């Protein structure tokens, strides 16, 4: 989120996780496009890599001219820093999403071992208690360092979500405003994960700003991002690059949310209201700004969380479908008919599509009305979705459809057709027509 009109994510779930037509995904650029990155910018990247303690990192041009990481790295934290440096200078589209080959310590291998162990433990876990309904709700309006992040109506939305979850029988852990520190969010995620059983139902809602998305080791369109906590980025940064590098260390990785979402449950619901937007690249040198603008047709560069990072088999273990259009996600996320028939109920909802802001009324008023004249305060989609959940007695499908249409129409109206906002829903078949 970038302005008082903007809400972030997922990454969420980012993650929460925000839109993804295949021809817009990073990694799906047609091969005939050539990226003419000026050599002075490539030289600047090399200087910045050395300045930030990455003496063995190098960059090359890939087959279509994008800047690709090469050289050697101690760990994936160094790779993330290198990606941030490259993207800050030439933008996301001109940065090849593929990981360098020479990384001494690979994070994904440890993650895979941990995930397999956790799933094995969950599958064998027995409990005498009945299944619970467990929820984590996070929302932030203003931040510890308000100079770095514009205010958003995250707490306003989270308060409504918390009430709806409590009414639906969830045991809610709510972290609002100054409570939503990096430590507290990560502690809550760990605690819920430690106590969760396959008989439980899980609901996660996060509304905050999101960081610049970075490629994953899988490459292609899969991207990760981080959720900005209340105390993230508490520095007086001299540049956006310095702030982004600090956020890499002080934000909450959406992988932690995805890891929790991956746990076997009776029913999992994720609502991501986090995103990344091009304002985080403001203040770059003129040459970088000019090149990035030209690459994006004169528009600010914006990108949301790639849904492949949430809907792929590595996180859900089942086939996830875009129920809004009945279009399956990429083939690699498909599952056998047997798996689909036996799957758990799993739904991911994002407030926006890729490259879109999550809109809200001006902070001075903060309120808006639905067509039935109900007055709401907060962001358009989240508030409308939970209002329509009341209308449809907790049924997610009709509530999402009504909120999606309202948000799409309203976004065009309030921006004079200058912006769009297209909420998305991905779910397993067994999750359709079910209640919150």
């Amino acid at each position: 989120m970038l302005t008082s009109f903007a809400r972030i994510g997922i990454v969420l779930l980012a993650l929460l996780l925000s839109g993804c037509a295949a021809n817009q995904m990073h990694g799906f650029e047609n091969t005939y496009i050539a990226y003419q990155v000026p050599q002075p910018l490539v030289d600047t990247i090399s200087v910045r890599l050395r300045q930030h303690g990455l003496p063995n990192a190098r960059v090359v041009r890939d087959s279509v001219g994008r800047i690709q990481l090469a050289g050697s790295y101690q760990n994936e934290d160094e790779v993330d820093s290198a990606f941030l440096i490259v993207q800050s200078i030439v933008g996301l589209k001109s940065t090849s999403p593929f990981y360098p080959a020479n990384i001494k310590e690979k994070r994904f291998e440890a993650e895979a071992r941990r995930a397999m162990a956790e799933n094995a433990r969950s599958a064998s876990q027995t409990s005498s208690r009945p299944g619970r309904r467990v929820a984590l709700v996070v929302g932030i309006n203003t931040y510890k360092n308000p100079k770095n992040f514009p205010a958003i109506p995250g707490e306003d939305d989270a308060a409504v979500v918390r009430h709806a979850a409590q009414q639906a029988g969830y045991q809610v852990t709510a972290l609002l405003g100054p409570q939503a520190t990096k430590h507290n969010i990560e502690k809550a995620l760990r605690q819920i994960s430690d106590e969760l059983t396959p008989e439980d139902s899980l609901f996660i809602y996060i509304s905050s700003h999101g960081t610049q998305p970075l490629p994953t080791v899988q490459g292609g369109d899969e991207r990760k991002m981080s959720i900005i906590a209340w105390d993230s980025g508490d520095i007086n940064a001299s540049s956006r690059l310095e702030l982004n590098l600090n956020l890499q260390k002080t934000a909450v990785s959406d992988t932690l949310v995805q890891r929790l979402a991956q746990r076997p449950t009776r029913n999992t619901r994720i609502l991501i209201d986090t995103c990344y937007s091009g304002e985080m690249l403001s203040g770059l040198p003129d040459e970088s700004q000019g090149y990035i603008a030209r690459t994006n047709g004169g528009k600010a560069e914006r990108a949301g969380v790639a849904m492949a990072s949430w809907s792929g088999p590595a996180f859900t273990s089942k086939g996830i479908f875009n129920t809004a259009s009945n279009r399956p996600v990429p083939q690699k996320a498909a599952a056998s008919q047997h798996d689909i028939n036996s799957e758990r109920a799993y739904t991911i909802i994002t407030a926006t599509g890729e490259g879109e802001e999550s809109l809200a009324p001006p902070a001075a008023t903060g309120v808006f009305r639905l067509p039935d004249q109900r007055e709401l305060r907060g962001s358009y989609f989240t508030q409308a979705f939970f209002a329509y959940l009341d209308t449809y007695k907790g049924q997610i499908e009709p509530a999402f459809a009504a909120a999606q249409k309202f948000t799409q129409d309203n976004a065009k109206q309030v921006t004079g057709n200058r912006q769009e906002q297209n909420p998305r829903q991905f779910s397993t078949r067994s999750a359709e027509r079910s209640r919150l």
Side-chain angles (χ1 to χ4, degrees), residues 4 141 153 194 204 244:
S4 59
N141 278 7
D194 288 344
I204 299 175
N244 287 348

Side-chain angles (χ1 to χ4, degrees), residues 301-335:
E301 181 174 72
R302 297 187 176 95
V305 184
M307 284 307 301
S309 64
W310 284 88
S311 57
F315 289 109
T316 66
S317 302
K318 302 295 179 185
I320 303 296
F321 299 88
N322 179 346
T323 57
S325 65
N326 293 321
R327 177 179 60 82
V329 295
Q331 186 62 39
K332 64 179 178 179

